[in-house]
PDB file of all heavy atoms in Angstrom:
ATOM      1  N   ALA A 256      24.105 119.577-113.747  1.00 98.00           N
ATOM      2  CA  ALA A 256      24.206 118.883-115.037  1.00 98.00           C
ATOM      3  C   ALA A 256      22.841 118.343-115.439  1.00 98.00           C
ATOM      4  O   ALA A 256      22.152 117.724-114.650  1.00 98.00           O
ATOM      5  CB  ALA A 256      25.224 117.739-114.929  1.00 98.00           C
ATOM      6  N   GLY A 257      22.470 118.594-116.694  1.00 98.00           N
ATOM      7  CA  GLY A 257      21.226 118.073-117.213  1.00 98.00           C
ATOM      8  C   GLY A 257      21.476 116.959-118.207  1.00 98.00           C
ATOM      9  O   GLY A 257      22.359 117.072-119.048  1.00 98.00           O
ATOM     10  N   ASN A 258      20.729 115.899-118.073  1.00 98.00           N
ATOM     11  CA  ASN A 258      20.841 114.737-118.958  1.00 98.00           C
ATOM     12  C   ASN A 258      19.502 114.611-119.690  1.00 98.00           C
ATOM     13  O   ASN A 258      18.522 114.200-119.105  1.00 98.00           O
ATOM     14  CB  ASN A 258      21.132 113.495-118.100  1.00 98.00           C
ATOM     15  CG  ASN A 258      21.100 112.203-118.893  1.00 98.00           C
ATOM     16  OD1 ASN A 258      21.056 112.227-120.112  1.00 98.00           O
ATOM     17  ND2 ASN A 258      21.111 111.080-118.191  1.00 98.00           N
ATOM     18  N   TRP A 259      19.524 114.988-120.945  1.00 98.00           N
ATOM     19  CA  TRP A 259      18.256 114.993-121.698  1.00 98.00           C
ATOM     20  C   TRP A 259      17.856 113.602-122.162  1.00 98.00           C
ATOM     21  O   TRP A 259      16.737 113.415-122.653  1.00 98.00           O
ATOM     22  CB  TRP A 259      18.377 115.939-122.892  1.00 98.00           C
ATOM     23  CG  TRP A 259      18.146 117.401-122.537  1.00 98.00           C
ATOM     24  CD1 TRP A 259      18.246 117.964-121.279  1.00 98.00           C
ATOM     25  CD2 TRP A 259      17.792 118.462-123.424  1.00 98.00           C
ATOM     26  NE1 TRP A 259      17.970 119.299-121.348  1.00 98.00           N
ATOM     27  CE2 TRP A 259      17.697 119.637-122.656  1.00 98.00           C
ATOM     28  CE3 TRP A 259      17.572 118.546-124.806  1.00 98.00           C
ATOM     29  CZ2 TRP A 259      17.365 120.875-123.217  1.00 98.00           C
ATOM     30  CZ3 TRP A 259      17.257 119.776-125.354  1.00 98.00           C
ATOM     31  CH2 TRP A 259      17.158 120.930-124.571  1.00 98.00           C
ATOM     32  N   LYS A 260      18.754 112.645-122.034  1.00 98.00           N
ATOM     33  CA  LYS A 260      18.448 111.253-122.442  1.00 98.00           C
ATOM     34  C   LYS A 260      17.942 111.283-123.905  1.00 98.00           C
ATOM     35  O   LYS A 260      18.407 112.076-124.716  1.00 98.00           O
ATOM     36  CB  LYS A 260      17.481 110.611-121.480  1.00 98.00           C
ATOM     37  CG  LYS A 260      17.960 110.734-120.028  1.00 98.00           C
ATOM     38  CD  LYS A 260      17.170 109.920-119.053  1.00 98.00           C
ATOM     39  CE  LYS A 260      17.732 110.111-117.659  1.00 98.00           C
ATOM     40  NZ  LYS A 260      17.093 109.274-116.659  1.00 98.00           N
ATOM     41  N   MET A 261      16.954 110.438-124.254  1.00 98.00           N
ATOM     42  CA  MET A 261      16.461 110.392-125.629  1.00 98.00           C
ATOM     43  C   MET A 261      15.265 111.339-125.783  1.00 98.00           C
ATOM     44  O   MET A 261      14.175 110.930-126.164  1.00 98.00           O
ATOM     45  CB  MET A 261      16.091 108.961-126.019  1.00 98.00           C
ATOM     46  CG  MET A 261      16.037 108.754-127.535  1.00 98.00           C
ATOM     47  SD  MET A 261      15.846 107.012-127.990  1.00 98.00           S
ATOM     48  CE  MET A 261      14.152 106.707-127.520  1.00 98.00           C
ATOM     49  N   ASN A 262      15.528 112.596-125.457  1.00 98.00           N
ATOM     50  CA  ASN A 262      14.488 113.624-125.540  1.00 98.00           C
ATOM     51  C   ASN A 262      15.119 114.871-126.176  1.00 98.00           C
ATOM     52  O   ASN A 262      16.282 115.197-125.893  1.00 98.00           O
ATOM     53  CB  ASN A 262      13.991 114.027-124.153  1.00 98.00           C
ATOM     54  CG  ASN A 262      13.371 112.858-123.417  1.00 98.00           C
ATOM     55  OD1 ASN A 262      12.283 112.408-123.762  1.00 98.00           O
ATOM     56  ND2 ASN A 262      14.063 112.357-122.408  1.00 98.00           N
ATOM     57  N   GLY A 263      14.319 115.558-126.971  1.00 98.00           N
ATOM     58  CA  GLY A 263      14.787 116.834-127.484  1.00 98.00           C
ATOM     59  C   GLY A 263      14.865 116.882-128.985  1.00 98.00           C
ATOM     60  O   GLY A 263      15.533 116.063-129.620  1.00 98.00           O
ATOM     61  N   LEU A 264      14.149 117.872-129.560  1.00 98.00           N
ATOM     62  CA  LEU A 264      14.247 118.180-130.988  1.00 98.00           C
ATOM     63  C   LEU A 264      14.770 119.596-131.111  1.00 98.00           C
ATOM     64  O   LEU A 264      14.945 120.290-130.109  1.00 98.00           O
ATOM     65  CB  LEU A 264      12.841 118.044-131.629  1.00 98.00           C
ATOM     66  CG  LEU A 264      12.193 116.650-131.521  1.00 98.00           C
ATOM     67  CD1 LEU A 264      10.769 116.706-132.064  1.00 98.00           C
ATOM     68  CD2 LEU A 264      13.012 115.597-132.223  1.00 98.00           C
ATOM     69  N   TRP A 265      15.033 119.985-132.339  1.00 98.00           N
ATOM     70  CA  TRP A 265      15.619 121.308-132.586  1.00 98.00           C
ATOM     71  C   TRP A 265      14.867 122.401-131.804  1.00 98.00           C
ATOM     72  O   TRP A 265      15.454 123.284-131.177  1.00 98.00           O
ATOM     73  CB  TRP A 265      15.586 121.562-134.110  1.00 98.00           C
ATOM     74  CG  TRP A 265      16.423 122.705-134.561  1.00 98.00           C
ATOM     75  CD1 TRP A 265      16.869 123.762-133.822  1.00 98.00           C
ATOM     76  CD2 TRP A 265      16.902 122.913-135.882  1.00 98.00           C
ATOM     77  NE1 TRP A 265      17.583 124.621-134.590  1.00 98.00           N
ATOM     78  CE2 TRP A 265      17.623 124.115-135.860  1.00 98.00           C
ATOM     79  CE3 TRP A 265      16.769 122.220-137.093  1.00 98.00           C
ATOM     80  CZ2 TRP A 265      18.239 124.619-137.020  1.00 98.00           C
ATOM     81  CZ3 TRP A 265      17.387 122.745-138.228  1.00 98.00           C
ATOM     82  CH2 TRP A 265      18.117 123.918-138.191  1.00 98.00           C
ATOM     83  N   ALA A 266      13.534 122.351-131.867  1.00 98.00           N
ATOM     84  CA  ALA A 266      12.706 123.394-131.227  1.00 98.00           C
ATOM     85  C   ALA A 266      12.981 123.502-129.719  1.00 98.00           C
ATOM     86  O   ALA A 266      12.790 124.565-129.119  1.00 98.00           O
ATOM     87  CB  ALA A 266      11.227 123.123-131.480  1.00 98.00           C
ATOM     88  N   ASP A 267      13.423 122.403-129.113  1.00 98.00           N
ATOM     89  CA  ASP A 267      13.639 122.424-127.666  1.00 98.00           C
ATOM     90  C   ASP A 267      14.875 123.233-127.254  1.00 98.00           C
ATOM     91  O   ASP A 267      15.079 123.469-126.075  1.00 98.00           O
ATOM     92  CB  ASP A 267      13.726 120.996-127.146  1.00 98.00           C
ATOM     93  CG  ASP A 267      12.434 120.254-127.369  1.00 98.00           C
ATOM     94  OD1 ASP A 267      11.400 120.750-126.862  1.00 98.00           O
ATOM     95  OD2 ASP A 267      12.416 119.217-128.056  1.00 98.00           O
ATOM     96  N   LEU A 268      15.699 123.617-128.220  1.00 98.00           N
ATOM     97  CA  LEU A 268      16.824 124.485-127.887  1.00 98.00           C
ATOM     98  C   LEU A 268      16.357 125.804-127.314  1.00 98.00           C
ATOM     99  O   LEU A 268      17.114 126.513-126.636  1.00 98.00           O
ATOM    100  CB  LEU A 268      17.716 124.708-129.114  1.00 98.00           C
ATOM    101  CG  LEU A 268      18.458 123.460-129.633  1.00 98.00           C
ATOM    102  CD1 LEU A 268      19.297 123.837-130.853  1.00 98.00           C
ATOM    103  CD2 LEU A 268      19.350 122.867-128.546  1.00 98.00           C
ATOM    104  N   ALA A 269      15.088 126.152-127.568  1.00 98.00           N
ATOM    105  CA  ALA A 269      14.534 127.381-126.987  1.00 98.00           C
ATOM    106  C   ALA A 269      14.609 127.341-125.464  1.00 98.00           C
ATOM    107  O   ALA A 269      14.749 128.388-124.803  1.00 98.00           O
ATOM    108  CB  ALA A 269      13.075 127.550-127.442  1.00 98.00           C
ATOM    109  N   GLU A 270      14.540 126.145-124.890  1.00 98.00           N
ATOM    110  CA  GLU A 270      14.629 126.007-123.429  1.00 98.00           C
ATOM    111  C   GLU A 270      16.041 126.423-122.943  1.00 98.00           C
ATOM    112  O   GLU A 270      16.191 126.967-121.842  1.00 98.00           O
ATOM    113  CB  GLU A 270      14.331 124.573-122.992  1.00 98.00           C
ATOM    114  CG  GLU A 270      12.914 124.118-123.301  1.00 98.00           C
ATOM    115  CD  GLU A 270      11.863 124.930-122.539  1.00 98.00           C
ATOM    116  OE1 GLU A 270      12.123 125.327-121.378  1.00 98.00           O
ATOM    117  OE2 GLU A 270      10.782 125.177-123.128  1.00 98.00           O
ATOM    118  N   VAL A 271      17.041 126.126-123.763  1.00 98.00           N
ATOM    119  CA  VAL A 271      18.418 126.460-123.379  1.00 98.00           C
ATOM    120  C   VAL A 271      18.619 127.974-123.478  1.00 98.00           C
ATOM    121  O   VAL A 271      19.290 128.579-122.624  1.00 98.00           O
ATOM    122  CB  VAL A 271      19.404 125.693-124.289  1.00 98.00           C
ATOM    123  CG1 VAL A 271      20.841 125.999-123.918  1.00 98.00           C
ATOM    124  CG2 VAL A 271      19.146 124.182-124.207  1.00 98.00           C
ATOM    125  N   THR A 272      18.041 128.565-124.508  1.00 98.00           N
ATOM    126  CA  THR A 272      18.106 130.029-124.631  1.00 98.00           C
ATOM    127  C   THR A 272      17.487 130.680-123.404  1.00 98.00           C
ATOM    128  O   THR A 272      18.060 131.609-122.808  1.00 98.00           O
ATOM    129  CB  THR A 272      17.361 130.489-125.919  1.00 98.00           C
ATOM    130  OG1 THR A 272      17.954 129.805-127.024  1.00 98.00           O
ATOM    131  CG2 THR A 272      17.456 131.982-126.114  1.00 98.00           C
TER     132      THR A 272
END
Side-chain angles (χ1 to χ4, degrees):
N258 173 11
W259 279 19
K260 308 190 181 185
M261 199 171 73
N262 299 289
L264 301 174
W265 193 340
D267 297 303
L268 293 180
E270 297 296 324
V271 181
T272 303

